[in-house]
Amino acid sequence: MKRISPCIIPGILNISFLFIILSCNNNKNSTLSEITKADSAKTKNVSHYTKPPSSYQDTLKISTSAAVFYYPDSLQMEKIKQLTDSVMYVGNMHEFFYAVRNAHIVIKKTWPMLHIIEAKKIRYLLFVKKDGARECIDLNNHNDFYGLFVFDGSQSPLLVDMTNIETQVSFYLKQ
């Protein structure tokens, strides 16, 4: 039996390794293109979501510095639940719960002068500035289920992204 020269073994290993890498890359690319095609097909079938209108017509008047959290009413929640995939709905509710909870904690700790107001069963928010000017916000025009407006009494109210609350509220209150 002939022996294989020790010089040939590293060459064979390198070539084998190269073939393994190339075969893995080909599978990875085909899988990626299949996923991309599937995602684009899903995107084409998705319709744009619009929050159902409020079943209430009440107005909440805010005339002091405040952080106003708004929520959907029970009938809106039922419609939202019907329109949303159950897994996505549960995920969204989980996300909103923790975003609202964190925002409450940050506001109480960082800006205790802001009164926290919970706007439930409300469609309109009427902000009255110190100079008497009024701004009315129709929550039906905001597509988020939950939200937060910050108001200092002098400026127009600001819709805050709760995941970026520290930066946005700090900037707003310094103006």
Side-chain angles (χ1 to χ4, degrees):
M1 202 164 184
K2 286 188 172 183
R3 294 183 95 188
I4 298 176
S5 168
C7 298
I8 296 176
I9 294 175
I12 293 173
L13 290 176
N14 286 338
I15 290 172
S16 299
F17 183 70
L18 182 63
F19 282 121
I20 291 171
I21 289 175
L22 290 175
S23 67
C24 289
N25 282 342
N26 287 338
N27 288 339
K28 183 178 178 182
N29 289 338
S30 65
T31 304
L32 182 60
S33 65
E34 290 169 12
I35 291 169
T36 305
K37 286 177 188 175
D39 284 346
S40 64
K42 286 179 190 175
T43 305
K44 290 177 186 174
N45 294 331
V46 173
S47 61
H48 291 283
Y49 172 80
T50 305
K51 180 176 84 173
S54 175
S55 52
Y56 291 90
Q57 300 300 314
D58 295 341
T59 301
L60 175 63
K61 182 179 173 182
I62 302 106
S63 55
T64 61
S65 297
V68 182
F69 290 88
Y70 67 88
Y71 305 88
D73 62 54
S74 57
L75 291 176
Q76 275 181 303
M77 281 305 297
E78 283 302 315
K79 290 176 187 174
I80 290 166
K81 192 172 184 178
Q82 290 171 1
L83 294 170
T84 310
D85 173 69
S86 62
V87 173
M88 185 178 277
Y89 176 81
V90 170
N92 285 341
M93 294 303 106
H94 179 81
E95 179 184 338
F96 291 131
F97 172 81
Y98 284 102
V100 169
R101 180 175 159 242
N102 179 63
H104 275 83
I105 292 167
V106 170
I107 290 167
K108 286 177 185 175
K109 179 181 176 184
T110 312
W111 304 286
M113 74 291 217
L114 291 176
H115 301 299
I116 294 178
I117 299 172
E118 309 288 334
K120 298 178 181 178
K121 300 181 181 180
I122 298 293
R123 177 173 174 184
Y124 300 99
L125 299 175
L126 178 63
F127 293 93
V128 182
K129 296 180 184 178
K130 293 174 185 172
D131 65 1
R134 297 168 175 250
E135 287 193 41
C136 187
I137 295 175
D138 182 352
L139 295 177
N140 281 354
N141 295 333
H142 294 276
N143 218 21
D144 293 325
F145 310 150
Y146 296 83
L148 168 62
F149 282 96
V150 177
F151 180 61
D152 68 355
S154 301
Q155 305 176 70
S156 293
L158 174 70
L159 179 61
V160 175
D161 175 6
M162 285 188 265
T163 60
N164 193 19
I165 188 169
E166 291 94 346
T167 303
Q168 288 185 335
V169 175
S170 290
F171 184 74
Y172 172 79
L173 293 176
K174 287 180 183 177
Q175 291 182 351

